[in-house]
Amino acid sequence: MPSDDRTQAGTTRTPPAPGPKPPAPAPEPREPHDPSRTRGSGNETGGGYRAVFRVREFRAVFTAHLLSLLGVSVSELALTVLVYDLTGSPLLSALTFALGLLPYAVGGTLFAGIADRYPARRVLVVCDLVCACCVAVMVLPGTPVGGLLALRCVVAAVAPVFTGTRAAALTEILGEGDLYVLGRSLLRIVSQSALLIGFGAGGLLLAALTPRGAIAVAVGTFCCSALLLRFGTRARPARSAATDGGGGTLLGDSLSGTRAVLADRRIRALLLLFWVPAFFVVAPEALAAPYADAIDAGPAALGLMMCTMAVGHIGSELWAGSVLGPRARSRTVLPVAALGLLPLLLYASRPGMVLTLAALVLTGVGAAYIIGLDQWFLDAVPEALRGRAMTLLTAGLMTVQGLGMALAGLAAEFFPVHQVVAASGAVGTLCTLLVIREVRATRPRSGEQVRGTEVRDGADQHVTNG
């Protein structure tokens, strides 16, 4: 993270030369661009989250995000019920949820180039329309179960491209300073809360409509999201077209961008700081049902366990975004990340509901380090790779969470659930500390504050300003 020291350009003038007409004074040097000043800087200007909502384009993106989340959650729940009604198979019904995670890795790797190769608004609108078309085909009575699952995979493969493109587009809508960080924070908070609301809304719809009828509602949400993005945001050129001509095939562009992102030591370390804690933090949620059974807790307690961590995350991130300034959030990234998984060690004593809920709340609070990490990641990624880097980040997050859930379930086949969760906290903390060591090792040295300046660090070259 760069320091906040700024070089103030002085005023220089050329002395007059001999002759009847003295030369015109030399122009004053322009002050270097400071990203934190782009369209305001959040808390430093006293605006905070309110300042983000003053940006008209962000309001359109935010509303479209709500509608997309509603469409995804309703369609997932209704599709699960529909597949079970058609087959009577719990395995195929559960597979519809798994297919919402697994294709992220494919889409995020093979199609990442779309995010930088084409104008952001066009990509976002097309992604929404593709999802709407897939969901519309699901509604048709003649669609077989295999077709339903295949369409679910397409929607999941499109998701990381949409999310990565939107994250990169936010830098053009909100600038590269604190407004961007707060905008990302708001979208993340909404994702945490709206999915719970969306599943609740889906349950209400299923009480009044057939599964296909509930899925049809999702078609409308995706179409409304596409309209908001089309008419609520400005057209901007593609990032890669402005820098490298956008040549080559889409697949080659996607793979080369992924290689370039992962070859950068600094970016690689920051990606791991996003991914490693996420891999371990899902264990208590994945094992909530067997743990509730082990401590003789009822369905209401299970519901609390499933949402408590999200409540801790939402509350802590709102507090950090509203109360802490950019410098304070930057200083807390590594300490909070290092401590975030430690509350899971309370599971070692097989606690009752009170201590279990306390551990989950504290673990959710630990996720607040991400709000500061967002700025570090933005500063480290060159603009030409920004869309691909954001797409890779999203795909990796969803993939590691799916793997974490699967491995936690596998471990619980051989060990008591409370020991598996406690071990996740212990091993996860150790792995996170190793990642933090790498993040510190790649931290820009004093004076390296200009994006694009390369420094040599062992065999790696990495972009400064991270």
Side-chain angles (χ1 to χ4, degrees):
M1 186 69 178
S3 68
D4 200 41
D5 298 331
R6 294 164 184 166
T7 303
Q8 184 65 42
T11 302
T12 59
R13 296 187 181 275
T14 306
K21 292 184 179 181
E28 296 182 359
R30 297 179 64 186
E31 185 174 352
H33 171 67
D34 185 345
S36 68
R37 295 183 179 181
T38 307
R39 304 192 71 156
S41 56
N43 290 3
E44 290 184 345
T45 63
Y49 287 118
R50 291 189 301 274
V52 182
F53 280 115
R54 293 191 194 109
V55 180
R56 182 187 60 82
E57 285 186 274
F58 178 79
R59 293 197 298 270
V61 171
F62 182 83
T63 307
H65 179 57
L66 281 174
L67 290 170
S68 292
L69 279 175
L70 181 62
V72 168
S73 54
V74 169
S75 62
E76 281 183 349
L77 184 60
L79 184 60
T80 301
V81 175
L82 177 60
V83 169
Y84 185 74
D85 287 347
L86 293 174
T87 65
S89 170
L91 174 61
L92 289 176
S93 179
L95 190 60
T96 61
F97 273 112
L99 291 177
L101 294 176
L102 298 178
Y104 263 76
V106 176
T109 302
L110 301 184
F111 308 134
I114 293 174
D116 290 318
R117 191 182 181 93
Y118 301 103
R121 186 176 72 176
R122 186 189 307 169
V123 172
L124 295 175
V125 172
V126 170
C127 284
D128 264 337
L129 293 178
V130 168
C131 291
C133 290
C134 290
V135 175
V137 176
M138 293 178 189
V139 177
L140 300 177
T143 306
V145 173
L148 293 173
L149 297 180
L151 291 167
R152 181 74 186 93
C153 287
V154 174
V155 172
V158 168
V161 178
F162 180 91
T163 307
T165 303
R166 184 185 61 202
L170 282 181
T171 63
E172 299 168 335
I173 293 172
L174 298 174
E176 299 179 11
D178 203 47
L179 283 186
Y180 166 81
V181 174
L182 294 176
R184 283 270 289 171
S185 172
L186 279 171
L187 296 182
R188 192 162 46 241
I189 289 169
V190 169
S191 296
Q192 288 283 330
S193 54
L195 284 177
L196 299 176
I197 298 172
F199 284 132
L204 292 175
L205 283 173
L206 287 172
L209 303 172
T210 65
R212 292 188 192 275
I215 293 174
V217 174
V219 179
T221 64
F222 284 121
C223 290
C224 289
S225 174
L227 288 172
L228 277 169
L229 293 170
R230 172 61 181 82
F231 297 105
T233 60
R234 291 198 298 115
R236 295 179 174 87
R239 276 172 295 277
S240 61
T243 55
D244 58 20
T249 65
L250 173 60
L251 179 59
D253 197 23
S254 300
L255 294 178
S256 64
T258 299
R259 285 194 297 269
V261 169
L262 295 179
D264 186 301
R265 185 181 176 189
R266 173 66 174 173
I267 298 175
R268 194 167 63 239
L270 296 177
L271 282 171
L272 288 174
L273 194 54
F274 279 107
W275 293 344
V276 170
F279 177 82
F280 292 98
V281 80
V282 296
E285 292 182 328
L287 301 175
Y291 186 73
D293 182 64
I295 63 173
D296 296 323
L302 175 60
L304 283 174
M305 291 170 61
M306 292 297 291
C307 68
T308 301
M309 192 183 297
V311 170
H313 183 180
I314 293 169
S316 64
E317 187 154 348
L318 277 173
W319 180 83
S322 302
V323 177
L324 301 181
R327 287 187 180 182
R329 292 198 297 268
S330 179
R331 286 195 297 267
T332 60
V333 169
L334 298 184
V336 174
L339 299 174
L341 295 171
L342 286 179
L344 295 182
L345 295 179
L346 288 173
Y347 273 78
S349 63
R350 198 170 177 267
M353 275 303 300
V354 175
L355 282 180
T356 298
L357 294 178
L360 292 174
V361 168
L362 291 174
T363 304
V365 168
Y369 79 94
I370 297 174
I371 189 172
L373 186 58
D374 274 338
Q375 184 67 61
W376 291 10
F377 190 70
L378 176 65
D379 291 340
V381 177
E383 184 176 358
L385 289 173
R386 192 168 287 160
R388 282 164 284 187
M390 297 294 185
T391 302
L392 182 63
L393 168 61
T394 301
L397 271 174
M398 297 302 292
T399 303
V400 299
Q401 288 180 80
L403 289 174
M405 290 180 179
L407 291 178
L410 178 62
E413 292 289 329
F414 302 97
F415 302 98
V417 172
H418 68 282
Q419 292 182 6
V420 173
V421 177
S424 296
V427 177
T429 298
L430 177 61
C431 293
T432 301
L433 290 174
L434 293 175
V435 174
I436 287 174
R437 181 181 178 184
E438 177 68 3
V439 171
R440 289 185 182 277
T442 60
R443 185 166 49 193
R445 293 183 289 272
S446 176
E448 296 172 343
Q449 299 182 16
V450 181
R451 181 180 283 111
T453 302
E454 293 182 346
V455 297
R456 179 72 64 178
D457 192 330
D460 296 299
Q461 285 186 336
H462 59 87
V463 180
T464 66
N465 216 25

